[in-house]
Amino acid sequence: DQQVKQNSPSLSVQEGRISILNCDYTNSMFDYFLWYKKYPAEGPTFLISISSIKDKNEDGRFTVFLNKSAKHLSLHIVPSQPGDSAVYFCAASEDNAGNMLTFGGGTRLMVKP
Amino acid sequence: NAGVMQNPRHLVRRRGQEARLRCSPMKGHSHVYWYRQLPEEGLKFMVYLQKENIIDESGMPKERFSAEFPKEGPSILRIQQVVRGDSAAYFCASSPTSGGADEQFFGPGTRLTVL
C-alpha cells in the first residue's frame, strides 16, 4: 500500500517556464512534508519542506503548496532551469522529530534549453 | 565537513553470499537511517539507529537483514544469503541529535547487484 504517490513518472518543461510536480498521500497522520532532488549516482538532497500548519512555503524559485483536505502537495519551480533536470521525490513524516520518511516513487523532470 | 559516506559504491555478489554495506555519518551526527530503492521505485525506510541502539526497524525484512551502529566505527547493513530481489540501491542518511526530518542528509548510496 503506497502511502505517498507521485502519479507522473516524468515531466518535460521548457526553460524559463514553470514546473509543477504533484504528490498525493493517504496517511492522515502525516504532518510534515519534504521534497528531495536526486541526480543519478547521488543520494537525495533536501530541497524544501512544509509543516501541516501551513499551506505554502517559499524558498527562492521553489514553492511548496499543501492542501490538507485533498491530501495533496505540489512543488512549483519558476523559472525552470536546465540544471533543475533531476528526479524529484516527495516524502512525508508523522512529525518533524527525525522519524522515518515515507517517499513517493519520484518524478523525472527534464528542463529543455 | 565531509558529508555522509557510504562504501562500497558498487557491490556485486552471487546468490547466497553475504553483503556488508557501510555508512559513516556526518561529523556530529548520532542518528543513522537506512533506505532501499528498488529499480523504478522510491526510497523505502528500513531501519533507524542511534549509537549502539536500534530505534525503529519496522522496514527491515524479518530474515537475512540486520543493522548495527557501534559505539566506534560506521553503521553496517548486513544482508546474509543474498537473493536477486535484494538488488537495489541502499542509501544511508544521518541527522544530528534530535534532528528534524529535514535534517536527514543522504549519502551517495551503495548499488548492490546480485548475480
Side-chain angles (χ1 to χ4, degrees), chain A residues 42-56:
Chain A
E42 294 184 14
T45 53
F46 169 74
L47 261 182
I48 192 169
S49 62
I50 188 167
S51 164
S52 61
I53 62 173
K54 294 186 174 182
D55 56 17
K56 177 182 174 181

Side-chain angles (χ1 to χ4, degrees), chain A residues 25 33 50-52 54-55 64-68 72-73:
Chain A
Y25 62 96
F33 304 90
I50 188 167
S51 164
S52 61
K54 294 186 174 182
D55 56 17
V64 56
F65 295 92
L66 175 62
N67 182 335
K68 277 193 70 177
H72 177 85
L73 64 154

Side-chain angles (χ1 to χ4, degrees), chain A residues 21-89:
Chain A
L21 297 98
N22 293 302
C23 179
D24 298 290
Y25 62 96
T26 57
N27 186 346
S28 56
M29 298 295 291
F30 289 146
D31 63 2
Y32 200 78
F33 304 90
L34 309 92
W35 283 94
Y36 283 82
K37 178 179 179 180
K38 185 181 180 303
Y39 292 116
E42 294 184 14
T45 53
F46 169 74
L47 261 182
I48 192 169
S49 62
I50 188 167
S51 164
S52 61
I53 62 173
K54 294 186 174 182
D55 56 17
K56 177 182 174 181
N57 188 25
E58 191 172 352
D59 183 2
R61 296 186 297 114
F62 302 91
T63 304
V64 56
F65 295 92
L66 175 62
N67 182 335
K68 277 193 70 177
S69 59
K71 293 192 175 69
H72 177 85
L73 64 154
S74 60
L75 174 69
H76 292 210
I77 307 173
V78 56
S80 301
Q81 299 173 353
D84 296 330
S85 298
V87 178
Y88 289 79
F89 291 98

Side-chain angles (χ1 to χ4, degrees), chain B residues 29-43:
Chain B
H29 286 193
S30 57
H31 297 207
V32 165
Y33 310 79
W34 284 94
Y35 293 85
R36 175 166 67 173
Q37 184 184 21
L38 295 170
E40 307 302 322
E41 294 187 15
L43 284 75

